[in-house]
């Protein structure tokens, strides 16, 4: 993974006017942090399993009624459970909060306000050893230059060109350096982002899937 | 290195009209030399701040780091212990750079900008373009860092100063032209001394329209 500073330095390399005096690292880091989050969202739309975090919740938890906090969940992909006897895996069904489904699935829960709640009483879950939630986290904001980015290096081009585009928009006050071409950097950035998102399709190309055919 | 009296003698030799006249006192002309050497260093601060680069390690004093006495223009600040670069942020925007160590300037002092990474004690190494060391008397050499090949600049300054005193328009025009020619050569030297070998990834290319620098030298800027 690249660091924030590496992406910022690559963006600066694109034009002589992109110096740290006109465009401080702190400013670029804040802008990169926002775009990083945006691009994570777009990445997940292309491939929902691009980056996943596992949170293992030992059972039972206490207090039961408060649920368990999931750490910055953005998109939950796969909830599962492990039985106490034999360590066999099982399926946890997520149902909508305040559902009218009745009877509920045997192992059911819901996510509300970033917390996982399990249906029923703790006594009903004695057979379950732990619950595993596989999900994508909301990326933490970038606050230091040495922080690693969540996205793969494939996204570096789009991120550095995004910063270059923003620096071009911020203007140039150096009198002996020709100003950057704003339209050019806008086009380059948009092309790089599209190419990155298209490259994500390669990740899922070999997956077996089902599709509906209309006759 | 030449002394002011030697520069004055060379300047007076530029015109026969200066001979045998009490046009100026020696101390008066020594002051002219001092001023013009300072101006030559000020021009360097604008064109090539690294040419006369000085360095001083400054200790923290209560709540600030005092500036060195001979600063003309700062070039870089570092935390002495680590070599980490310290940037200077504006007095009225102290959060302009929160991810690098920063200080702000106030009354010939640097003070911590107050952000988490900013230095709050210890030594700062200050790199800067200095003002020249003034010769104490007319017999002491001017600052030895000035390139000797361009002393004609000061000879013509003296000649121009005397021409102004005599009030002769033709002399004034002649020595203004001659002084500016040597000033252009000095500026060109500052500008291109590293021009071929230096690689710049960013920051300024530093190509100056030399005519605009004349006003810095003459004090008309």
């Amino acid at each position: 993974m690249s660091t924030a500073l590496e992406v910022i330095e690559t963006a600066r390399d694109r034009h002589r006017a992109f110096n740290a005096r006109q465009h401080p690292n702190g400013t670029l880091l804040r802008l990169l942090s926002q775009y990083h989050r945006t691009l994570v969202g777009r990445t997940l739309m292309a491939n929902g399993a691009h980056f996943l975090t596992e949170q293992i919740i030992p059972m039972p938890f206490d207090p039961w009624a408060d649920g368990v906090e999931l750490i910055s969940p953005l998109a939950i992909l796969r909830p599962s459970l492990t039985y106490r006897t034999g360590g066999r895996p099982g399926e946890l069904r997520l149902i909508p909060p305040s559902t009218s489904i009745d009877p509920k699935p045997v192992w059911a829960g819901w996510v509300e306000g970033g917390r996982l709640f399990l249906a029923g009483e703790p006594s009903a879950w004695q057979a379950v050893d732990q619950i595993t939630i596989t999900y994508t986290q909301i990326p933490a904001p970038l606050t230091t230059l040495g922080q690693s980015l969540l996205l793969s290096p494939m996204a570096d081009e789009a991120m550095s060109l995004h910063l270059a585009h923003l620096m071009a928009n911020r203007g140039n006050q150096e009198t002996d350096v020709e100003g950057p071409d704003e339209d050019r950097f806008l086009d380059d950035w948009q092309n790089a982002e599209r190419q990155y998102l298209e490259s994500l399709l390669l990740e899922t190309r070999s997956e077996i899937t089902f599709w509906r055919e209309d006759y | 290195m030449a002394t002011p009296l030697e520069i004055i003698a060379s300047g007076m030799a530029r015109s026969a009209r200066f001979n045998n006249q009490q046009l100026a006192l020696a101390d008066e002309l020594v002051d002219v030399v001092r001023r013009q050497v300072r101006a030559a260093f000020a021009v360097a601060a604008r064109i090539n701040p690294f040419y006369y680069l000085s360095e001083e390690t400054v200790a923290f004093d209560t709540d600030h780091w005092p500036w060195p006495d001979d600063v003309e223009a700062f070039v870089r600040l570092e935390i002495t212990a680590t070599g980490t670069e310290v940037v200077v942020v504006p007095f009225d925007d102290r959060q302009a750079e929160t991810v690098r160590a920063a200080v702000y300037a106030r009354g010939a002092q640097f003070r911590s900008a107050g952000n988490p990474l900013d230095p709050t004690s210890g030594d700062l190494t200050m790199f800067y373009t200095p003002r020249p060391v003034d010769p104490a008397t007319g017999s002491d050499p001017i600052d030895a860092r000035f390139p000797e090949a361009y002393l004609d600049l000061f000879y013509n300054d003296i000649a121009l100063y005397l021409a102004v005193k005599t009030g002769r328009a033709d002399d004034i025009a002649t020595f203004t032209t001659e002084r500016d020619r040597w000033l252009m050569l000095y500026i060109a030297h500052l500008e291109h001394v590293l021009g071929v070998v230096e690689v710049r990834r960013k920051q300024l290319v530093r190509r100056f329209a030399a005519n605009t620098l004349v006003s810095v030298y003459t004090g008309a800027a």
Side-chain angles (χ1 to χ4, degrees):
Chain A
M1 297 298 169
S2 304
T3 64
L5 182 62
E6 286 166 349
V7 171
I8 289 172
E9 289 294 316
T10 305
R12 292 195 191 288
D13 286 346
R14 295 181 185 277
H15 197 281
R16 285 181 184 275
F18 293 163
N19 59 52
R21 202 168 67 182
Q22 296 195 101
H23 311 288
N25 278 353
T27 304
L28 296 185
L29 188 65
R30 282 192 292 277
L31 295 170
L32 178 61
S33 183
Q34 290 173 1
Y35 182 59
H36 183 235
R37 280 186 166 168
T38 303
L39 203 52
V40 165
R42 288 177 187 163
T43 300
L44 288 177
M45 289 168 75
N47 180 3
H50 187 75
F51 21 57
L52 294 171
T53 303
E54 264 192 3
Q55 186 175 344
I56 295 173
I57 303 163
M59 292 287 285
F61 53 81
D62 188 54
W64 184 260
D66 290 352
V68 175
E69 183 180 7
L70 301 179
I71 303 163
S72 302
L74 179 65
I76 294 172
L77 188 78
R78 194 169 50 245
S80 64
L81 54 82
T82 307
Y83 291 106
R84 201 172 294 280
T85 307
R88 286 181 299 111
E91 190 179 1
L92 174 70
R93 293 284 179 89
L94 287 186
I95 57 177
S98 309
T99 182
S100 59
I101 295 175
D102 199 35
K104 294 180 176 58
V106 178
W107 307 119
W110 64 91
V111 175
E112 190 173 3
R115 302 182 79 85
L116 174 70
F117 297 88
L118 299 179
E121 296 301 318
S123 56
W125 290 78
Q126 282 179 354
V128 176
D129 183 40
Q130 64 182 36
I131 287 175
T132 303
I133 305 289
T134 306
Y135 63 106
T136 301
Q137 285 180 330
I138 297 171
L142 301 174
T143 54
T144 62
L145 293 171
Q147 205 165 329
S148 290
L149 303 175
L150 191 58
L151 295 165
S152 75
M154 293 291 288
D156 286 2
E157 179 82 346
M159 285 190 286
S160 70
L161 276 166
H162 178 69
L163 290 183
H165 153 64
L166 293 175
M167 282 190 275
N169 275 355
R170 279 165 57 87
N172 174 41
Q173 292 192 324
E174 302 289 9
T175 52
D176 53 356
V177 180
E178 190 182 342
D181 183 338
E182 296 173 26
D183 293 338
R184 174 68 184 270
F185 281 111
L186 174 64
D187 289 347
D188 286 353
W189 160 52
Q190 289 179 336
N191 285 336
E193 184 185 291
R194 190 177 64 248
Q195 283 170 10
Y196 163 66
L197 293 175
E198 285 174 356
S199 77
L200 293 173
L201 299 177
L202 298 174
E203 294 181 350
T204 57
R205 211 173 193 178
S206 59
E207 284 180 3
I208 297 172
T209 186
F210 296 96
W211 64 92
R212 191 178 67 185
E213 292 183 26
D214 294 321
Y215 294 100
Chain B
M1 179 53 82
T3 66
L5 289 177
E6 289 167 356
I7 291 170
I8 292 164
S10 297
M12 292 191 78
R14 295 282 147 137
S15 172
R17 297 190 183 104
F18 299 151
N19 288 347
N20 304 317
Q21 293 188 56
Q22 187 62 41
L23 288 173
L25 301 172
D27 284 351
E28 178 186 348
L29 292 177
V30 170
D31 266 345
V32 173
V33 174
R34 286 193 188 110
R35 284 201 299 272
Q36 295 313 124
V37 177
R38 282 184 216 136
F41 274 62
V43 167
R46 189 72 64 92
I47 300 173
N48 187 345
F50 311 101
Y51 193 84
Y52 295 117
L53 194 67
S54 280
E55 172 184 348
E56 188 166 321
T57 301
V58 180
F60 187 69
D61 180 5
T62 313
D63 59 358
H64 68 276
W65 293 268
W67 290 5
D69 293 334
D70 58 339
V71 167
E72 175 67 27
F74 284 103
V75 173
R76 181 183 168 95
L77 307 179
E78 289 180 357
I79 296 172
T80 305
T82 60
T84 306
E85 184 184 5
V86 179
V87 298
V88 180
V89 293
F91 175 83
D92 56 357
D93 187 12
R94 295 179 209 172
Q95 292 187 316
E97 183 64 303
T98 53
V99 294
R100 291 193 291 173
V103 293
Y104 70 96
R106 170 179 164 177
Q109 301 171 350
F110 286 121
R111 296 187 178 210
S112 174
N115 303 305
L117 295 180
D118 298 343
T120 53
S121 62
D123 294 350
L124 283 189
T125 304
M126 302 184 184
F127 298 92
Y128 59 96
T129 296
R131 285 191 292 271
V133 178
D134 285 339
T137 69
S139 303
D140 296 316
I142 63 168
D143 196 311
R145 290 170 290 186
F146 183 81
E148 207 157 14
Y150 298 92
L151 281 175
D152 270 66
L153 173 61
F154 302 135
Y155 304 160
N156 285 291
D157 267 319
I158 291 295
L160 177 59
Y161 184 84
L162 295 172
V164 170
K165 277 203 135 181
T166 60
R168 292 186 64 97
D170 54 343
D171 271 1
I172 293 172
T174 300
F175 292 122
T176 300
T177 304
E178 193 67 5
R179 192 276 315 273
D180 288 355
R181 191 168 75 84
W182 279 98
L183 181 55
M184 294 301 175
L185 286 172
Y186 171 63
I187 289 171
H189 169 62
L190 294 175
E191 188 180 270
H192 61 213
V193 64
L194 292 175
V196 175
V197 295
E198 188 180 44
V199 175
R200 280 192 170 270
R201 188 164 57 131
K202 51 199 175 202
Q203 288 289 10
L204 305 182
V205 182
R206 293 200 177 277
R207 296 273 182 270
F208 287 85
N211 280 321
T212 63
L213 272 302
V214 173
S215 56
V216 175
Y217 184 77
T218 60

